[in-house]
Amino acid sequence: LAIVSATTSFANVDALLRQGDALDEKNQNAAALEVYLKAEPLRPNDAEVLRRIAKQYAQMISDTSDRKEKIRLGRLALD
């Protein structure tokens, strides 16, 4: 049962990553971030999930003109 559950979890994460990647390709950074954040608890500390999350935060920095928001997003990208 645990193997089936782990396999299902990985399949769900892969589907979420594909969905987020499609949004990322359209520069829909906030929407892609939402999807990647859903994948993170399913595969905690996974380098690919965390890289995608950080990338979205970093891309969102250029989407805002507010200096404080840029700093906040930068910190989140590095966290």
Side-chain angles (χ1 to χ4, degrees):
L1 184 61
I3 294 172
V4 172
S5 178
T7 303
T8 302
S9 177
F10 272 87
N12 290 341
V13 171
D14 290 341
L16 288 168
L17 293 180
R18 285 191 301 275
Q19 181 184 358
D21 292 348
L23 292 165
D24 178 51
E25 287 180 22
K26 297 175 186 174
N27 290 318
Q28 295 178 356
N29 302 322
L33 176 61
E34 282 184 44
V35 174
Y36 295 142
L37 288 173
K38 290 178 186 176
E40 198 270 333
L42 299 173
R43 216 186 278 173
N45 300 315
D46 181 276
E48 276 305 306
V49 174
L50 296 174
R51 182 190 64 77
R52 285 173 166 95
I53 290 170
K55 179 184 179 208
Q56 295 312 308
Y57 282 126
Q59 287 180 297
M60 290 169 63
I61 290 170
S62 62
D63 293 342
T64 185
S65 59
D66 182 86
R67 184 177 187 281
K68 287 182 182 180
E69 181 65 2
K70 286 180 184 282
I71 292 169
R72 185 186 78 79
L73 291 169
R75 287 186 176 140
L76 287 170
L78 295 172
D79 195 20

